[in-house]
Amino acid sequence: MPPWLTVIGIGEDGFAGLSRNARRALLDAEIVTGAPRHLSMLPGRIRARREPWPKPFDVDAVHGWRGRPVCVLASGDPMLFGVGATLARCIPANEMQVIGAPSSLSLAAGRLGWALQDIPAVSLVGRPLAALNAHLREGARLLVLSRDGASPADVAALLCANGFGATSMSVFESLGGPHERRIDATARHWGDRQVEALNLVALTCAADPGAGRALPLTAGLPDDAFVNDGQLTKRDVRAITLSRLAPHPGALLWDVGAGCGSIGIEWMRAHPACHAIAIESSPARQAFIAHNRDALGVPGLTLVAGRAPDALQGLAAPHAIFIGGGVTAPGVLDACWTHLRPGGRLVANAVTLQSEAVLTAWRERHGGTLTRLAISEAQPLGGFDTWRAALPITLLEVVKPATPGEGATS
């Protein structure tokens, strides 16, 4: 089937700024759909039926028009945090064409003289503000797509609360249009100022004096980065555990017996496309997880209140599973192994003799590797220093066969 759907990016300059191909598609269309603001930009000579997006937003109506000439209007580049990407997930590529316009990110980068490929972009449209926390470090530059006119004030408040009140903010209203405006201020001086709903925030992060250290990008955050009650995979063991779990973009982790959520949180910090589900039965520790995921910039971590194996039912199949506690509970290892995708990794840590015995028996049946981790730190002893050993950790790593009947990878 030839393309029947055309997704057109339209800027603040409206119909006059569209390319010849985009205008031709609109003139030939039977139906044009988009936000009311975009539809109002079209001149009267566009005879197509105009259909505003439904509220709440969905694209089901577009499927019902399949085969008829349809145009969808979107802001700027439809494939950048836009409806074009949403439609591409459910409509074959050969049935749609995309005619983009400069994105607000491109326009802002041009105004600022920033190389766009070097600048992380964070969207607040339908996403939690706490996602910004993952990017806050001295000198970092960010482009933030606002959800409404209050977003810059919300961003400023978050920056101040995290010791980045000195951050420079440039707020762009109506980029690319006749009413474009730029407002510059520091986060601490922004206050509760409201702006036009269509805006973008550019940040140059600057930490306040004495604000504390920035968190590293490597695995193994300091233990005090997590609010916890002691149920925490310690820093060095956590770094080794994450290296064995081997996060990669798009992969899903189950953190079973998550404690304060440290493993799942660091898994998600490894790449923006990583996902994690934390399974935890303690209400107090669930509260720790909810706090830590926001504070460390991964509010998308899913928290499941419950105890394995019962709490695992109905969850999406993971690419990797970490069991930090509860390996001696009946059925936990078996249930995790059953749900793990072929080729996925299971990593479990044990401290007690009983849990170590379970992991040893499991290795006899399924293969894998056992590793003993023994870590000591220098601590005072009278007027001298000595080594204080932490409890040794036994780590099991096993990869599920990619093809049924194959032996496990060791």
Side-chain angles (χ1 to χ4, degrees):
M1 175 183 290
W4 55 272
L5 176 64
T6 303
V7 185
I8 298 173
I10 188 167
E12 285 299 290
D13 49 0
F15 187 78
L18 295 179
S19 68
R20 185 174 182 178
N21 287 342
R23 295 187 188 190
R24 183 74 265 165
L26 286 166
L27 289 168
D28 293 342
E30 288 184 19
I31 302 168
V32 179
T33 186
R37 182 175 67 86
H38 293 143
L39 294 175
S40 69
M41 295 176 175
L42 301 181
R45 67 176 180 272
I46 303 299
R47 300 299 184 186
R49 188 173 89 238
R50 304 184 187 197
E51 293 281 351
W53 284 122
K55 294 183 179 180
F57 172 81
D58 68 63
V59 297
D60 288 347
V62 176
H63 293 278
W65 301 324
R66 187 171 185 263
R68 303 164 68 183
V70 176
C71 284
V72 169
L73 297 179
S75 295
D77 183 349
M79 303 305 290
L80 184 67
F81 297 106
V83 71
T86 302
L87 289 165
R89 288 194 288 267
C90 54
I91 293 177
N94 63 345
E95 295 186 22
M96 62 183 284
Q97 61 174 333
V98 178
I99 304 174
S103 69
S104 58
L105 299 178
S106 295
L107 294 172
R111 307 291 190 269
L112 293 160
W114 291 0
L116 188 57
Q117 72 272 11
D118 296 333
I119 310 299
V122 179
S123 175
L124 301 183
V125 181
R127 296 171 173 86
L129 179 67
L132 277 175
N133 287 329
H135 302 275
L136 301 185
R137 51 188 54 88
E138 179 68 32
R141 290 174 169 177
L142 302 173
L143 292 173
V144 183
L145 297 171
S146 295
R147 60 175 175 268
D148 55 31
S151 294
D154 294 339
V155 169
L158 179 142
L159 290 166
C160 291
N162 284 277
F164 283 85
T167 295
S168 297
M169 298 176 57
S170 294
V171 178
F172 294 92
E173 297 177 327
S174 305
L175 269 165
H179 304 295
E180 179 178 321
R181 184 171 71 134
R182 172 176 173 173
I183 308 169
D184 295 311
T186 61
R188 71 164 51 92
H189 292 116
W190 186 268
D192 58 359
R193 185 185 328 185
Q194 302 286 298
V195 299
E196 292 293 328
L198 190 67
N199 72 86
L200 176 145
V201 185
L203 303 176
T204 301
C205 295
D208 300 331
R213 64 194 185 283
L215 294 176
L217 297 175
T218 52
L221 296 180
D223 292 343
D224 61 9
F226 301 92
V227 175
N228 68 91
D229 60 358
Q231 189 69 17
L232 168 74
T233 302
K234 297 299 190 290
R235 181 180 192 172
D236 298 302
V237 175
R238 192 182 333 121
I240 295 170
T241 299
L242 284 157
S243 73
R244 298 298 186 94
L245 287 166
H248 59 273
L252 171 66
L253 169 77
W254 285 2
D255 186 358
V256 179
C260 69
S262 62
I263 293 291
I265 287 168
E266 292 219 43
W267 171 278
M268 289 187 64
R269 284 173 59 91
H271 192 275
C274 286
H275 306 280
I277 299 174
I279 299 97
E280 176 54 53
S281 62
S282 164
R285 290 171 182 162
Q286 292 163 19
F288 294 152
I289 294 170
H291 170 86
N292 290 331
R293 67 183 176 186
D294 285 356
L296 296 171
V298 290
L301 181 144
T302 299
L303 174 57
V304 173
R307 189 184 303 275
D310 294 342
L312 308 180
Q313 298 303 315
L315 302 181
H319 301 85
I321 297 175
F322 173 65
I323 308 174
V327 295
T328 58
V332 168
L333 271 168
D334 289 334
C336 288
W337 187 249
T338 298
H339 288 289
L340 184 64
R341 293 175 185 239
R345 293 174 178 270
L346 186 148
V347 175
N349 289 354
V351 177
T352 67
L353 291 174
Q354 290 77 12
S355 56
E356 183 179 271
V358 170
L359 297 188
T360 302
W362 179 266
R363 178 174 175 268
E364 291 297 318
R365 299 197 306 273
H366 298 282
T369 60
L370 282 175
T371 303
R372 172 65 65 87
L373 305 177
I375 297 173
S376 299
E377 291 185 355
Q379 294 184 4
L381 178 64
F384 300 90
D385 295 311
T386 191
W387 292 108
R388 297 285 186 187
L391 291 173
I393 304 290
T394 299
L395 183 150
L396 169 71
E397 176 192 359
V398 58
V399 177
K400 190 170 183 177
T403 302
E406 291 183 1
T409 303
S410 59

